[in-house]
Amino acid sequence: MARTAAKAGIGRAPHGKVGHGKVGKVNDDGRRGPRGKAEGTARVTLIAGDGVGPEVIGAAVKVIEAVGVKIDWDRQLAGAIALRRFGSPVPDQLIDSLKSTKVALKGPLETRVGEGYRSINVYLRKLFDLYANVRPVRTQAGVHTPFKGVDIIVIRENTEDLYAGIEHQVAPGVVESVKIITARASTRIARFAFEYARTNHRHLVTAIHKANIMKLSDGLFLKCAQRVARDYRDIEYKEQIVDAACMRLVTNPHAFDVLLLENLYGDIVSDLCAGLVGGLGFVPGANYGKHGAIFETVHGTAPDIAGKGIANPVAAIKTGALLLDYLGYGSAGDRIRAAVNAVLRAGRVITPDIDGKATTADMTAAVIRALK
Ligand code: ATP
């Protein structure tokens, strides 16, 4: 799994036959990798996922094909369907595929609340040490929201915190969940955030925390961020307590630029930020590690609308564009983003989550027509 900002200790490891050229800048929109056309055909693991996954990932694949980029998709099952078919939500052939391709486009996978197997989304991120989750949150022309011009990059640590999944029952009626924060993981995500900021000409990194209560764990996270910040004097560094940050995000989102968060706060604040730009149907995402990346939307399986053909495909299509950037097809990624913007600006073929009447398939077709 390939490139991330060099100084963040990421990058190199080009895979397959794709000619990536120089390693890695993280471009605006959470994009990374050299711009311009790559050579050869990239092999990418494709996981349609559960719920609305097949609908929106299908849309992303169609748009990538329409833009003219040839990808050799290695289609794999995961989650509920894989459990039924192979007896495991993470079958061996999926892991083998990911080890070989080092890059995936993935739909959301179902995680049952309070029962069954642990989140496969989390499992895969940890297995491949995809430690940096990047979610560009931007106001879309044509989508009516309380604030104009929101432009925030959420950078979330992906491997530890309460997601370490260490829970046990101390006594009947008493359980304990352990929050793991390490200097190593905190330092590398902070460095990633500052590298991202520098490469993309962003001016401010805000670390979000609750160190007033979790003095040791969040205190350590902040100390690491402060130490890293000293190496980036060109970028302003601020800290904000998570509850106050949430209030500020919904009253003055323009006060923020790049957010640096631990895993759980990152999860919650991502959805809050998605709300600022029209909802979960709009925010793409990527998980980067030293050796690869998995591209997935912020939204989950959306069980309430799954199978109805009305999911907004924009988040998945834009996630596909991030994948193209990563593979070195940056201009194709730009064409996709421009086409999405044109469709939203026109406002004629849009899904019900933004008060339209179009289906996922209609909107995808409109994006394809708008490709230049
Ligand atoms: P999961 O358990 O898989 O995370 P969830 O129900 O917790 O699923 P999401 O899938 O993130 O959460 O969905 C939250 C809400 O946002 C739902 O009402 C869903 O319909 C809506 N939503 C999510 N994605 C989309 C989309 N692509 N288009 C339209 N609405 C969406």
Side-chain angles (χ1 to χ4, degrees), residues 66-128:
V67 85
V69 174
K70 297 245 176 309
I71 291 183
D72 178 9
W73 299 108
D74 184 14
R75 291 167 198 270
Q76 294 289 333
L77 297 181
I81 186 169
L83 182 64
R84 283 197 298 278
R85 188 139 343 148
F86 305 116
S88 165
V90 196
D92 289 347
Q93 51 267 52
L94 166 66
I95 300 298
D96 290 346
S97 171
L98 289 169
K99 280 185 180 158
S100 147
T101 63
K102 300 180 170 36
V103 58
L105 177 61
K106 173 186 155 304
L109 295 169
E110 179 187 285
T111 307
R112 298 221 176 94
V113 176
E115 53 166 300
Y117 50 79
R118 277 172 47 202
S119 165
I120 307 154
N121 307 308
V122 174
Y123 175 80
L124 291 175
R125 289 173 201 160
K126 283 170 80 170
L127 187 67
F128 293 101

Side-chain angles (χ1 to χ4, degrees), residues 280-281 299-305 311-312 353:
L280 287 164
H299 69 72
T301 56
D304 51 333
I305 56 168
N312 184 339
D353 56 308

Side-chain angles (χ1 to χ4, degrees), residues 182-192 221 224-225 227-228:
T182 66
R184 175 179 170 270
S186 303
T187 301
R188 71 177 177 172
I189 194 67
R191 200 162 284 288
F192 182 100
F221 184 80
C224 296
R227 229 174 275 137
V228 170

